[in-house]
Amino acid sequence: MSDERTVRLTADLRRWIAALFRLPAEEVRADLPLEELRGKLPDPRSLFFAVRLVAERSLGLTLHEVELRRVRDLAELAAYLVRESVPPPPPDGKRFTDPYEGGSWGWRMAPPADPADRLPAAAFILSSARSGSTLLRMMLAGHPDLFSPPELNLLPFESMGSRGEQLDRLGYSWMRYGPGSALANLEGLTPEQTAQRLARLEEEDVAIREVYRQIQEAAGGRLLVDKSPAYSRHPRWLARAEELFHEPLYIVLTRHPLAAIESFVRLRFHRMVADHSLVRDDDPWVLAEKTWAVNNRHILDFIASLPTRRWIRIRYEELVAAPEPVLRRICEFLGIRWNEALLNPYEGDRMTRMPGLPAQSTIGDPNVLTRDRIDPSLAESWRRVDITLSRFTREVAGELGY
Ligand code: A3P
């Protein structure tokens, strides 16, 4: 049965890739190494988006770019996807006491930055994954006094060269799309110019501080809002915000753990974070829970050390159930005037895609293109999830009022 599905999926992959890139069908062989197939495309990065589209349509499965490393060719990819299309078994009630047990950090830490040399204030949206952060970012992106691009993922690194090397080594090349889309928007770059601009920043190993400086300068008087959920993976990464910026502001976005955990597993984020994080678990449900628990723990500990005027806590559930009062609170906190555009996150260009890549090249929430309005019913989605949480998680949830 699964062999039949693999054969069918291999044929689907070959047909779609040939059609999307206008290649002769016989050139897209099932046993052609993916590296060679990439070489036949106008932009090698496009292969992933084509494959992701087929995986989504044929199997309803969200694929992550790093997973392409697990296979050699389209035939192996089809077999892998068919295996992965069986959802992980439901949670078996396994508990943990120490969420960090088994984790192994694979990123290089940037040395402390010189606090005498801080950039003007920026705002950060801090959250764990699947908390509605892309939606909030897109809401803020409509405000004329804010520049709120997709996930910049710059803060943890010292310079663009060392960042690029780590992204390639650990399978995070998608983290280039946020800065790419920000620079393209600010500087009016064509897709080719965007790719060149990013490549130059890496070749010249430009300091991260300098990249932020350029973005802030090009944003004019607008306040930069950096929403990158990865920052909460490590307390040191969060601490960099205080080293690089003068009195930055933090919008802490929280969501019920059961909803975030279910979304994490359904979107297969366990295949992305793999084995280089502070948390690890072979069971995707437990990994999702540990991720929610420690990321929110890090954020809570971080803001506890800051004056209360510099952070605000927002609940996803309130944001989607009644957006206006929550967004008004955010405006007041950021010191900007109310603007109706905040209520229309899907209106106009809110920088959801990497310029030059196919329409599916979304940045942030992989589901962003599946919605076109705020869906208040998702505030209640946690009620449909039946998991028993570990004590560590329940304590963090309790502190957040869940
Ligand atoms: P699902 O698509 O799994 O439901 P993040 O951007 O932090 O990764 O969070 C993504 C989640 O935000 C989505 O996960 C969804 O629950 C929620 N979300 C995204 N767009 C939304 C919308 N328009 N209305 C309500 N919730 C939304």
Side-chain angles (χ1 to χ4, degrees):
M1 175 63 183
S2 83
D3 278 356
E4 247 174 60
R5 288 176 71 196
T6 303
V7 170
R8 256 202 328 267
L9 187 61
T10 310
D12 280 356
L13 284 165
R14 294 182 60 202
R15 199 177 55 250
W16 270 91
I17 290 167
L20 282 170
F21 300 107
R22 300 208 174 84
L23 292 169
E26 63 280 6
E27 274 194 34
V28 187
R29 295 197 325 266
D31 64 350
L32 184 70
L34 294 187
E35 235 5 84
E36 284 181 43
L37 181 52
R38 281 197 185 89
K40 292 177 183 285
L41 310 184
D43 184 332
R45 294 171 302 178
S46 305
L47 179 67
F48 164 66
F49 295 106
V51 171
R52 177 156 100 177
L53 184 69
V54 182
E56 181 69 50
R57 293 203 176 161
S58 306
L59 304 170
L61 183 140
T62 305
L63 186 71
H64 299 284
E65 192 163 4
V66 69
E67 296 185 86
L68 291 187
R69 294 184 180 187
R70 295 169 175 243
V71 296
R72 190 183 156 278
D73 54 32
L74 291 182
E76 277 189 23
L77 176 62
Y80 171 77
L81 292 174
V82 168
R83 281 197 306 277
E84 287 290 304
S85 67
V86 181
D92 64 2
K94 182 180 147 195
R95 312 277 171 85
F96 55 83
T97 33
D98 174 6
Y100 297 101
E101 198 184 317
S104 118
W105 188 247
W107 302 84
R108 220 171 28 248
M109 281 301 172
D114 179 2
D117 205 15
R118 291 191 175 117
L119 294 161
F124 292 86
I125 298 176
L126 303 182
S127 73
S128 190
R130 317 311 298 157
S131 302
S133 60
T134 309
L135 176 67
L136 177 58
R137 176 198 76 73
M138 288 163 67
M139 289 166 157
L140 300 185
H143 197 291
D145 296 339
L146 302 176
F147 180 64
S148 173
E151 317 195 349
L152 291 177
N153 286 306
L154 291 169
L155 200 54
F157 306 99
E158 186 182 12
S159 64
M160 289 299 279
S162 111
R163 177 180 187 269
E165 179 274 315
Q166 295 184 70
L167 300 188
D168 288 337
R169 177 164 52 83
L170 299 174
Y172 286 74
S173 55
W174 57 267
M175 282 192 179
R176 293 189 171 94
Y177 301 154
S181 135
L183 291 166
N185 179 285
L186 289 170
E187 298 174 0
L189 305 178
T190 63
E192 294 71 35
Q193 289 168 331
T194 308
Q196 287 163 7
R197 178 89 163 85
L198 285 174
R200 254 198 332 271
L201 286 172
E202 290 190 13
E203 277 155 29
E204 293 169 7
D205 198 21
V206 175
I208 291 299
R209 185 189 174 285
E210 172 58 19
V211 180
Y212 272 124
R213 194 197 63 73
Q214 291 180 13
I215 291 176
Q216 283 187 313
E217 188 177 282
R222 291 178 291 170
L223 178 71
L224 170 65
V225 181
D226 181 354
K227 101 83 179 160
S228 304
Y231 294 167
S232 59
R233 286 190 194 182
H234 201 291
R236 264 296 303 148
W237 283 9
L238 290 170
R240 296 262 303 157
E242 291 286 306
E243 292 172 6
L244 286 175
F245 294 90
H246 178 70
E247 305 229 317
L249 301 168
Y250 303 95
I251 302 169
V252 174
L253 175 68
T254 63
R255 186 173 187 182
H256 196 293
L258 295 182
I261 291 168
E262 187 278 332
S263 174
F264 185 105
V265 175
R266 178 164 34 81
L267 272 84
R268 309 178 57 258
F269 273 45
H270 50 283
R271 293 293 183 221
M272 187 169 66
V273 293
D275 52 3
H276 48 260
S277 292
L278 285 182
V279 291
R280 197 202 142 88
D281 210 285
D282 291 336
D283 182 334
W285 293 97
V286 182
L287 180 64
E289 179 182 342
K290 286 181 175 177
T291 303
W292 184 91
V294 305
N295 289 7
N296 281 292
R297 180 74 269 153
H298 296 159
I299 295 171
L300 281 172
D301 292 346
F302 178 60
I303 60 169
S305 68
L306 301 171
T308 50
R309 67 185 154 79
R310 287 215 276 121
W311 55 267
I312 183 175
R313 252 168 47 186
I314 298 295
R315 280 163 174 271
Y316 164 85
E317 290 77 10
E318 290 170 12
L319 178 71
V320 295
E324 186 165 336
V326 177
L327 291 165
R328 280 190 184 273
R329 237 174 9 106
I330 295 179
C331 286
E332 205 174 305
F333 168 69
L334 296 176
I336 55 175
R337 277 219 288 260
W338 168 251
N339 190 299
E340 289 289 321
L342 292 167
L343 291 172
N344 303 308
Y346 298 95
E347 199 178 85
D349 175 15
R350 307 247 170 154
M351 294 177 275
T352 45
R353 293 186 37 222
M354 171 66 178
L357 286 179
Q360 308 80 34
S361 68
T362 53
I363 315 172
D365 176 14
N367 273 349
V368 66
L369 297 179
T370 65
R371 300 190 173 95
D372 60 5
R373 68 202 61 194
I374 302 166
D375 180 354
S377 74
L378 290 175
E380 301 290 319
S381 63
W382 61 272
R383 294 186 191 278
R384 296 189 290 274
V385 186
D386 183 18
I387 309 176
T388 313
L389 299 171
S390 296
R391 186 160 159 198
F392 184 96
T393 313
R394 279 185 279 121
E395 280 174 3
V396 179
E399 271 179 66
L400 293 171
Y402 291 112

